[in-house]
Amino acid sequence: MEPRAAAARELLLGALEDLSQEQLKRFRHKLRDERVDGRSIPWGRLERADTLDLVEQLVHFYGPERALDVAKKTLKRADVRDVAARLKERRLQSLGPSSPALLSVSEYKKKYREHVLRQHAKVKERDARSVKINKRFTKLLIAEEPEAERARRSDTHTFNRLFGRDEEGERRLTVALQGPAGIGKTMAARKILYDWAAGKLYHSQVDFAFFLSCRELLERPGTCSLADLILDQCPDREAPVQQMLAQSERLLFILDGVDEMLAPEPAEAAPCRDPHEAASGARVLGSLLSKELLPAARLLVTRRGATPGRLQARLCSPQCAEVCGFSDKDRKKYFYKFFQDEWKAEHAYRSVKENEMLFSLCFVPGVCWIVCTVLRQQLQRGQDLWRTSKTTTAVYLLFVASVLRSAPAADAAQLQRELRKLCRLACDGVLGGRARFSEEDLERLQLCGSKVQTQFLSKKEMPGVLETEVTYQFIDQSFQEFLAALSYLLEDEGAPRAPAGSIEALLQGDPELRGHLNLTTRFLFGLLNTERMCEIKRHFGCTVSERVKQRVLRWVQDQGQGRPRAAPEGTEEILAPQDTEESEEEEGEQLNYPLELLYCLHETQEDAFVHQALRGLPELVLERVHFSRMDLAVLSYCVRCCPAGQALRLVSCRLATAQEKKKKSLMKRLQGSLGGSSSRATTRKSPGSPLRPLCEAMTDRQCGLNSLTLSRCKLPDSVCRDLSEALREAPALAELGLFHNGLSEAGLRVLSEGLASPQCRVQTLRVQQPGLQEALQYMVGKLQQIPALTTLDLSGCQLSGPTVTCLCTTLKCPGCHLQTLRWRQGWEGCWEHSLSALGWGGCRGFPQTLKRNLSQGPPEVTPL
């Protein structure tokens, strides 16, 4: 092939040298419009190109022999037919007849798969080390909707299920792998690509699969078409792109990091529907996501957690799968794969497992990698992991500190200065939506060739308009976000921040438009912990500003201003139809914003700070949240630290948490079938409900939660049991609202037992639940045993005659301290009376059943 390529270059050069300057100019203009498989040479590379440059561009874009065909055709279009004829004759003499046609799609498919296997056999870790994907990839837990409560390990069967058929038998076209930063989404997506190329996945469904980084696509200079992007993925320029696109239903596009679309953009142009149309990276990406471009193609996208409305609206009916990190078993496997030495792996694993908090964080692969990297350094120095790391922020700071400690004492001050400059670079990039930096950016900060460059930045060469462009990016996006947050705590003497880089620029603004800043904000809160601030001062040798902590605290407290607390009567719950649900696409991010704020507070792990911050948020409202295990841990921590008078409302939330699907051993299955475990069944403690962490937090002595409302949350009996236990011990809970939660008879009875406990402090009880007459009657009968209860709201409960009779009987009991009763039934309206005002003639307006019972004598109650 090399002699033929060299001969082709000589033929092209000879033909172009035969042209006059005017003819060469006309040739360049015609060549700009010459598209082959949707691809043409950008005008920026043609405008000032001489004959040598043109030859190189032709060969680079089209391949040696196809370049001869393109040149001959372009010469004819430029009206230089004599030169075109000579080129044809010389080619026949030098190379013989033209090469055979392109490989067929089926032939090229094999060639492309082999190319993917070579290109993706190794992956780069965060420290730029290359490792084989099959040796490093560790199975993750993946929970698919609608079975989100059951997480499966990410084997071939689980990956194949992603693009199965839905409940209606329709083929799934868009799958979203979602989860927090560092959970393993990108690695899982790369493993899917590699396994496809190896023939393990989608073998009969997908002919070509392409991996596209959204960040690289959005930062790509100039315009490109989807056909260009496909050709860039191929091993050569002979790919039958046109035939590939003709069967788009057999294409899979893996789009990594679609959250990059969240950054503020200019007014969007019309969608791109032609795969050969050159457009900006954002337009091509947006058109793929919305199915305007190649609607029959399969899409696998990765994204961080819940997606804000603007991006969610672009995704066309996505099948969501939550990446839940490592199981306990696979966590240990990761240590063995990382160290590749049994003794070191076991020693490292045991030392981490002894630190319960740190071990719990290692279910996140990104955190696990940092921990293993630091341990490897410490084992090499004969040290152990000696400190406690309670948050992701603490783990990242541990990694940065290990880099600083590894430097010789003489270089420590220089390294500290360089790292502070790198933090400023990271912050400028985060606020400006930049992930790539030029050599000029590094030279401006005197970071070229520095140790921090090699430790935290990776070098990448990208084809530019005229020459190769060298860029740098952080070893992982999360490291850029961490260092950006760290920059706010490092005072740079004599260099005050510009307004664009101030802390207000990070915190303020529309929550949807600043969604890409969420992780940076979390890291900032984590660094405000007093212990973390002391570590920063020690490691960086500089003053840590306390003013930042106070400004962040004021910002949190300001979030509660202008948010009126909901009316306690809960009438909006009554009037709203039970099956009414607002569009998640339109309001999902806005409603989940309070949860993101709680994540930030949780990251501080400083009870006093959280207590002060929540004073400005007297009512926390979380709507339509599908709580994960981590979500509940975050909410529980904040509830445990909340001040007196705090209110919490959970509306239309899903409380089921993802659990690993475990296979029983043969022995256990045999024991179960033979009844061998029946003797232990009665003594085994019932499993806790998803809400148990929150219920335990409510019973903490420092918890000031005053009001709890659960609305449309579908509470199973297990939740009712845990909530009943919490009602017995909660030190400050005075109001409880239960609205349309699908309670069972048994669940409501269990709750009644908790309310009837002598230690229960609930003064106001609101229940809206149709049906359950026996359980309601049971609860009404317990009223005289609830010492603190003074207000009862049974709006919408549709009480039966016997239940009303029981209610009236209970009201007359000396032990009943009820002062206010609120009740709505059918068309008769809503009544609320001070029961002390009721006498022989004070029952007017009540239904006849209640009036008849109360007319037998006024209840003994304390006046309002």
Side-chain angles (χ1 to χ4, degrees):
M1 292 298 295
E2 286 303 322
R4 293 182 68 87
R9 281 188 169 87
E10 288 298 323
L11 290 169
L12 287 169
L13 184 61
L16 296 181
E17 287 179 341
D18 288 343
L19 302 178
S20 65
Q21 287 297 319
E22 183 61 29
Q23 290 171 334
L24 188 64
K25 181 178 179 181
R26 198 158 61 244
F27 177 86
R28 284 197 297 262
H29 277 274
K30 296 296 181 182
L31 182 59
R32 175 179 62 177
D33 301 325
E34 188 65 42
R35 302 181 72 84
V36 178
D37 288 333
R39 186 175 179 82
S40 61
I41 303 175
W43 177 242
R45 303 186 186 185
L46 295 175
E47 186 176 11
R48 298 178 181 176
D50 58 18
T51 53
L52 286 173
D53 293 333
L54 286 172
V55 169
E56 289 306 313
Q57 293 294 339
L58 282 163
V59 173
H60 173 72
F61 266 77
Y62 304 114
E65 298 198 40
R66 181 181 280 191
L68 292 170
D69 294 329
V70 172
K72 184 180 70 173
K73 184 178 178 180
T74 306
L75 287 167
K76 289 180 179 179
R77 293 179 61 229
D79 201 25
V80 197
R81 295 181 179 275
D82 55 334
V83 177
R86 286 199 297 271
L87 176 61
K88 181 179 179 180
E89 292 174 5
R90 292 171 183 171
R91 176 181 181 175
L92 188 63
Q93 295 170 1
S94 179
L95 299 177
S98 299
S99 299
L102 293 172
L103 294 174
S104 66
V105 171
S106 59
E107 293 171 323
Y108 198 84
K109 181 169 67 173
K110 180 180 178 182
K111 181 178 182 180
Y112 179 73
R113 284 179 183 266
E114 292 171 351
H115 171 69
V116 171
L117 287 174
R118 288 192 302 271
Q119 290 293 109
H120 295 272
K122 291 185 176 182
V123 292
K124 282 191 175 182
E125 295 204 306
R126 292 170 173 82
D127 57 359
R129 298 188 184 196
S130 292
V131 293
K132 290 185 177 179
I133 191 169
N134 276 339
K135 288 190 175 181
R136 180 49 55 87
F137 179 77
T138 306
K139 291 179 180 178
L140 301 160
L141 293 177
I142 295 182
E144 301 174 64
E145 292 185 352
E147 298 179 344
E149 70 278 1
R150 303 183 70 182
R152 295 176 170 85
R153 297 176 76 217
S154 56
D155 53 17
T156 303
H157 176 69
T158 302
F159 285 148
N160 268 317
R161 282 172 52 95
L162 294 177
F163 282 102
R165 296 190 178 273
D166 60 21
E167 296 174 350
E168 299 176 356
E170 296 294 326
R171 187 165 61 93
R172 294 171 182 160
L173 293 178
T174 302
V175 174
L177 283 180
Q178 61 189 36
I183 202 71
K185 304 180 295 295
T186 298
M187 180 67 88
R190 290 188 180 277
K191 187 66 165 65
I192 287 173
L193 178 69
Y194 186 82
D195 284 352
W196 165 81
K200 298 178 182 178
L201 294 175
Y202 321 130
H203 190 262
S204 61
Q205 304 171 20
V206 176
D207 287 340
F208 295 92
F210 308 101
F211 187 96
L212 300 175
S213 166
C214 294
R215 171 163 285 197
E216 292 183 6
L217 182 56
L218 292 171
E219 293 184 350
R220 181 175 175 136
T223 60
C224 62
S225 67
L226 183 60
D228 293 333
L229 298 175
I230 290 175
L231 206 53
D232 288 343
Q233 300 271 315
C234 295
D236 53 45
R237 298 294 173 181
E238 309 298 327
V241 177
Q242 195 63 39
Q243 294 94 315
M244 292 180 189
L245 293 171
Q247 293 183 298
S248 61
E249 71 278 1
R250 301 191 64 81
L251 301 181
L252 168 62
F253 293 92
I254 301 175
L255 307 178
D256 184 41
V258 295
D259 310 82
E260 297 300 322
M261 295 292 289
L262 301 182
E265 301 169 12
E268 296 177 13
C272 176
R273 295 184 174 89
D274 180 2
H276 298 292
E277 179 186 348
S280 67
R283 270 190 70 201
V284 174
L285 177 58
S287 302
L288 269 176
L289 291 174
S290 61
K291 290 295 181 181
E292 298 283 353
L293 183 59
L294 300 188
R298 289 176 170 85
L299 298 181
L300 176 69
V301 304
T302 69
R303 63 186 186 183
R304 289 182 179 180
T307 304
R310 194 158 54 89
L311 176 57
Q312 180 70 21
R314 294 181 182 221
L315 295 174
C316 187
S317 303
Q319 165 69 15
C320 297
E322 187 81 17
V323 181
C324 305
F326 293 143
S327 65
D328 289 345
K329 177 181 177 181
D330 291 314
R331 206 177 324 188
K332 186 172 184 179
K333 279 187 176 181
Y334 183 89
F335 275 76
Y336 279 80
K337 287 185 176 184
F338 183 93
F339 286 96
Q340 298 181 352
D341 178 280
E342 187 172 348
W343 181 87
K344 290 181 179 178
E346 184 63 30
H347 182 69
Y349 181 76
R350 278 192 286 106
S351 67
V352 173
K353 196 169 184 180
E354 289 172 0
N355 184 335
E356 184 178 349
M357 184 60 70
L358 182 60
F359 183 68
S360 67
L361 290 173
C362 285
F363 82 93
V364 179
V367 173
C368 209
W369 177 84
I370 295 174
V371 170
C372 288
T373 301
V374 174
L375 275 172
R376 180 171 57 195
Q377 296 170 355
Q378 293 181 334
L379 285 172
Q380 289 170 352
R381 295 193 292 264
Q383 301 173 347
D384 283 325
L385 188 63
W386 54 271
R387 61 183 304 280
T388 300
S389 300
K390 293 184 177 181
T391 63
T392 308
T393 304
V395 174
Y396 275 71
L397 187 59
L398 182 68
F399 179 81
V400 174
S402 71
V403 172
L404 291 170
R405 285 197 301 267
S406 65
D411 300 336
Q414 175 67 20
L415 188 60
Q416 289 171 349
R417 287 193 294 271
E418 291 174 352
L419 196 50
R420 289 164 67 184
K421 292 177 181 178
L422 188 68
C423 289
R424 179 60 64 87
L425 180 71
C427 186
D428 292 343
V430 165
L431 295 179
R434 294 178 59 205
R436 296 190 179 279
F437 304 93
S438 65
E439 288 188 307
E440 290 76 15
D441 292 326
L442 269 64
E443 289 172 356
R444 175 171 50 84
L445 295 172
Q446 299 176 330
L447 291 176
C448 283
S450 64
K451 183 172 182 179
V452 295
Q453 176 199 318
T454 58
Q455 286 282 351
F456 292 98
L457 298 175
S458 60
K459 183 178 180 181
K460 189 162 189 177
E461 295 183 356
M462 296 180 64
V465 177
L466 297 176
E467 58 184 14
T468 301
E469 181 182 358
V470 178
T471 62
Y472 297 86
Q473 67 184 70
F474 285 84
I475 54 177
D476 188 81
Q477 184 181 348
S478 60
F479 274 100
Q480 180 179 352
E481 291 163 312
F482 172 76
L483 294 174
L486 184 58
S487 72
Y488 288 102
L489 278 84
L490 302 178
E491 287 191 348
D492 200 355
E493 295 82 355
R497 284 183 180 271
S502 66
I503 199 167
E504 286 74 17
L506 175 67
L507 298 176
Q508 294 178 355
D510 187 336
E512 180 172 348
L513 296 180
R514 53 180 296 275
H516 61 295
L517 302 175
N518 283 348
L519 188 58
T520 305
T521 307
R522 284 193 202 178
F523 279 135
L524 174 62
F525 275 76
L527 292 169
L528 297 178
N529 176 281
T530 302
E531 185 181 346
R532 301 292 90 75
M533 293 176 75
C534 291
E535 290 173 8
I536 294 169
K537 184 175 181 179
R538 182 170 68 252
H539 294 311
F540 287 86
C542 63
T543 303
V544 179
S545 175
E546 277 284 345
R547 293 195 303 274
V548 174
K549 193 169 188 176
Q550 294 304 314
R551 288 161 71 186
V552 171
L553 178 61
R554 284 196 300 271
W555 174 78
V556 176
Q557 293 174 335
D558 289 345
Q559 301 307 297
Q561 295 182 3
R563 296 173 183 258
R565 184 162 172 171
E569 315 309 345
T571 52
E572 73 283 354
E573 297 291 341
I574 304 167
L575 300 176
Q578 189 164 347
D579 58 351
T580 298
E581 290 186 8
E582 296 179 26
S583 170
E584 288 187 25
E585 288 80 0
E586 295 179 2
E587 299 194 27
E589 173 70 4
Q590 182 180 2
L591 297 177
N592 283 339
Y593 175 66
L595 181 60
E596 179 58 36
L597 188 58
L598 296 185
Y599 262 96
C600 292
L601 294 174
H602 172 268
E603 195 69 19
T604 66
Q605 286 296 301
E606 193 164 293
D607 297 1
F609 181 88
V610 177
H611 185 88
Q612 277 187 285
L614 289 176
R615 286 185 181 278
L617 299 166
E619 182 176 46
L620 295 172
V621 182
L622 299 175
E623 299 190 47
R624 292 195 293 275
V625 178
H626 182 188
F627 282 106
S628 67
R629 180 179 57 181
M630 192 63 200
D631 293 339
L632 287 167
V634 167
L635 176 60
S636 302
Y637 171 76
C638 293
V639 166
R640 188 164 55 250
C641 299
C642 70
Q646 185 74 53
L648 172 64
R649 296 177 65 209
L650 304 182
V651 181
S652 301
C653 294
R654 293 175 62 182
L655 302 176
T657 54
Q659 299 291 334
E660 180 184 2
K661 182 183 178 184
K662 296 182 179 179
K663 295 181 180 179
K664 291 184 178 179
S665 66
L666 177 61
M667 183 61 68
K668 287 185 178 179
R669 280 181 283 168
L670 287 173
Q671 286 177 347
S673 63
L674 297 174
S677 59
S678 60
S679 61
R680 295 188 298 271
T682 56
T683 60
R684 186 179 301 146
K685 187 179 179 180
S686 61
S689 74
L691 214 60
R692 175 168 287 186
L694 177 61
C695 293
E696 291 176 347
M698 289 165 53
T699 64
D700 192 281
R701 293 184 63 182
Q702 69 172 343
C703 173
L705 185 67
N706 175 263
S707 174
L708 173 65
T709 301
L710 300 172
S711 176
R712 309 184 194 285
C713 291
K714 298 181 181 179
L715 303 180
D717 291 350
S718 59
V719 170
C720 293
R721 283 194 296 270
D722 286 336
L723 186 56
S724 178
E725 291 296 323
L727 293 174
R728 290 176 165 88
E729 302 178 37
L733 189 67
E735 296 183 19
L736 176 63
L738 301 170
F739 302 139
H740 302 288
N741 290 300
L743 295 171
S744 69
E745 294 272 356
L748 188 53
R749 281 175 175 264
V750 170
L751 286 172
S752 300
E753 294 292 341
L755 288 165
S757 170
Q759 292 80 28
C760 179
R761 293 174 172 82
V762 173
Q763 299 172 17
T764 301
L765 174 64
R766 298 185 176 89
V767 179
Q768 293 177 20
Q769 184 67 52
L772 308 183
Q773 292 302 315
E774 292 184 7
L776 283 169
Q777 188 171 338
Y778 181 81
M779 185 190 72
V780 166
K782 290 282 186 180
L783 290 178
Q784 58 182 315
Q785 301 177 29
I786 308 178
L789 191 66
T790 58
T791 300
L792 178 63
D793 183 346
L794 296 176
S795 302
C797 283
Q798 299 174 352
L799 303 183
S800 64
T803 304
V804 173
T805 301
C806 180
L807 173 61
C808 296
T809 302
T810 304
L811 291 174
K812 296 178 182 181
C813 294
C816 179
H817 300 287
L818 201 65
Q819 298 177 29
T820 302
L821 171 66
R822 191 167 186 268
W823 181 34
R824 162 188 287 269
Q825 179 130 343
W827 58 270
E828 294 172 311
C830 184
W831 297 270
E832 182 173 337
H833 284 270
S834 169
L835 297 181
S836 60
L838 294 175
W840 292 99
C843 305
R844 186 172 57 187
F846 275 81
Q848 291 302 311
T849 307
L850 183 58
K851 182 176 181 180
R852 183 168 56 252
N853 281 276
L854 287 178
S855 65
Q856 299 173 10
E860 299 291 336
V861 294
T862 304
L864 285 172

